[in-house]
Amino acid sequence: MSDSTTRRVSFNEPILGTPEADAVQEVLESGTIRGDGPVTQEVEEQLEEWLGIEHVFLTTSCTHALEMAMLVLDIGPGDEVIMPSFNFVSSANAVVLRGATPVFADIRPDTLNIDVEDVADKITPRTKAIVPVHYAGVSCDMNALQALADENDLYVIEDAAQGVDAYYDGAPLGTMGDIGCYSFHETKNLTCGEGGAFLTDDTELARAAELAREKGTNRSAFIRGEVDKYTWVSEGSSYIPSDILAAILNVQLSRRETIKQKRETVWTAYYDALHPLADDGPLQLPTIPDACDSNYHIFFFRVDTPQRRNTLLDVLKDHGIDASFHYIPLHSSPFGQRVTDQDADSLPHTTHCSETLIRLPLHPQLADTAEEIAARTADIVASEIQ
Ligand SMILES: *Cc1c(COP(=O)(O)O)cnc(C)c1O
C-alpha cells in the first residue's frame, strides 16, 4: 500500500485507440464532415436496430436532447415537470429555458433513483411531464412510474444519460418513455467526447424533433426529396453533431460488450471486497433490483455521516484512489432556490444520500487490476470505519 510506488487510480479513462483515429481520418478524407452525413445515418440506424426503437437522432449532447424533448412536448410557462433533485443540471435547465418550472422529488436511499411515491405527492393540475433519471445505469421503477404517468396523463422523458446498454425487464433504458435521452460525453460508458441521442417511438414527436434539431427548418425533408425547397417551419436550434464525432461513436458501439464486461469486473470487485464491511457497520452498498440489468456506470457506496464521508474521501485520495462525491441537490442549489419555492431541507433522502455518498474510480482500463485496487480500497475503508 505504499503511496509513492502505487499508480494513481484515476476516476475515468475511456478506451480510445487506433480504430477511432482511423475512423476520424476516413471521415476527414471523405470531405463530408458536417452532421447528418453517411456516418451519422449509419450510427442512427444501428442504434434503432439494436434498441428496437423507431427513431434515433444523434445530438450534440444529452443536454440538447433534453432541451429538444421540452421543445417538442411544448412544455412552457405555467407547466411543471417533476424530476429528482439528486440530478445533473441538464433536465432542470431544459425546463427553465422553456419558462416552465422544475419540481424536485426525493430519491430512494437504495438505488438513489426517483421515489415514485414522492412523485405522486408532487403531481398538481399543472404537471405535464416526469423526468426519471437512471442513476449509475440502474433503472428507475419504470412500471410504477409509467402507471402513475398514465393515470395522470403525463409525458415520461427518460434521462438515460447514464443508461446506455442497461435494461429494465429486458427493455433498453431510454426506450420506455415517450422520449429517451442518451449521453456520449467523455465520462459516459460509450463516448465520442461530446454527444448524445434523442429516442422516440412516436412518429409525431419524431417529426417535430427532426425540425427542432435542424434549426426549425424542414431541411431533412428537402434532402429526402419530400419538399422542393426548405424553409423555417417551427422553433428550433442546432443540435446536429458532426460526422467526425459520429465516426468515433461508431467505433465505440463496436466496443460495447467489452466495455460493459470490463466495467462489470471492476464493479463486482469493489462490491465483493466491501461486502464483508457492510454487514452491520456504517457502510451501505448499492442495490440492483431484480428487474434491472446494470451497465455498471458508477460504483457508489454510502457511509453514516457527512464527516465520515469527507474524511474517507480525503484518505482515499491520499492513498492514490481518485474517489469522488456526486450531485449537490438541485433544489437546495443557489439557482434551484431561485426557480422553486421548495424548502432546502424538504427532501430528506436526497440531502442525506448526497452528503454521505462516495463514488470509486470505475472504467474499463481498471479491469486487469480490479481485485488489487478493490482490496486496497477496502483496507482503507476498513481502517476508517472500524
Ligand atoms: C452526463 C449527464 C447529462 C448530460 O450529458 P451531456 O451529454 O454532457 O449533455 C445529463 N443527465 C445526466 C443524468 C447525466 O449523467
Side-chain angles (χ1 to χ4, degrees), residues 60-64 66 87-88 90-91 133 159 161-162 182-185 187-188 194-196 297 327:
T60 30
S61 63
C62 180
T63 303
H64 280 165
L66 288 160
N87 189 357
F88 194 59
S90 298
S91 47
V133 178
D159 180 341
Q162 302 175 15
Y182 279 173
S183 174
F184 302 114
H185 185 263
T187 51
K188 300 306 198 288
E194 300 277 354
H297 177 60
Y327 305 128

Side-chain angles (χ1 to χ4, degrees), residues 243-262:
D243 256 32
I244 300 172
L245 293 181
I248 298 177
L249 187 55
N250 204 6
V251 178
Q252 289 276 300
L253 281 168
S254 72
R255 297 186 188 272
R256 175 166 74 78
E257 282 168 28
T258 312
I259 289 173
K260 182 166 173 176
Q261 194 190 348
K262 285 178 185 277

Side-chain angles (χ1 to χ4, degrees), residues 22 28 33 35 54 56 71 144 151 158 160 179 184 196 213 219 233 271 282-283 287 325 342 368 373 380:
D22 290 347
L28 290 174
I33 60 170
E54 286 295 319
V56 173
L71 195 67
E151 247 167 67
E158 292 179 76
I179 294 170
F184 302 114
R213 180 170 167 273
R219 186 165 182 278
V233 293
Y271 192 90
L283 192 76
T287 305
F325 58 93
Q342 288 178 260
D368 292 343
I373 293 165
I380 300 163

Side-chain angles (χ1 to χ4, degrees), residues 202-223:
D202 184 301
T203 312
E204 290 301 308
L205 292 178
R207 197 168 314 221
E210 186 178 87
L211 302 177
R213 180 170 167 273
E214 184 67 281
K215 301 100 185 163
T217 73
N218 55 358
R219 186 165 182 278
S220 304
F222 169 72
I223 288 168

